[in-house]
Amino acid sequence: MSVNNQLETTMFALFQTIDLVLNIYTWILIASAVFSWLYAFNVINSSNQFVNSVGMFLYNVTEPVLKPIRRRLPNLGGIDISPIILLVIIFFLRTFLWTTVYPLVA
């Protein structure tokens, strides 16, 4: 196996891993938004220990990324569009990686 072929295989694996992480984070972000709606409308039992642990996990994973976005957005009166903004950014990153960066390495 040539060095160039090894580099191509390694870069492909790296890009697939980055894409997978971004995809998983997308689903965690969606789950966090749905969970917050269910919690806000009292659809789920907020006194349940499992529900609280799931909620804390989702909050702790998404809040560090959403907080800077929220700071830059104007006040929309209780409507939080920061998850949508983050989903668009993730979509852009994934598309950029596979259409622009990866073909240069391959």
Side-chain angles (χ1 to χ4, degrees):
M1 183 179 258
S2 70
V3 173
N4 194 19
N5 207 7
Q6 277 183 326
L7 178 63
E8 184 177 324
T9 304
T10 304
M11 291 307 293
F12 184 69
L14 175 66
F15 279 104
Q16 276 192 319
T17 304
I18 292 170
D19 187 55
L20 177 65
V21 168
L22 290 173
N23 190 20
I24 290 170
Y25 196 78
T26 297
W27 286 107
I28 289 173
L29 191 60
I30 292 169
S32 178
V34 170
F35 183 89
S36 71
W37 295 336
L38 294 175
Y39 192 86
F41 294 117
N42 289 324
V43 175
I44 53 178
N45 184 4
S46 59
S47 62
N48 186 324
Q49 181 71 25
F50 178 73
V51 170
N52 280 336
S53 7
V54 169
M56 285 307 296
F57 168 76
L58 292 173
Y59 178 82
N60 290 334
V61 170
T62 58
E63 189 61 21
V65 182
L66 291 175
K67 192 174 186 178
I69 295 172
R70 282 192 196 110
R71 270 191 257 127
R72 288 175 176 78
L73 290 176
N75 185 1
L76 298 174
I79 298 174
D80 184 15
I81 61 166
S82 59
I84 296 169
I85 304 285
L86 184 56
L87 287 173
V88 170
I89 292 170
I90 290 172
F91 176 78
F92 172 78
L93 284 173
R94 290 178 71 192
T95 304
F96 180 77
L97 281 172
W98 287 107
T99 60
T100 307
V101 178
Y102 179 71
L104 293 176
V105 178

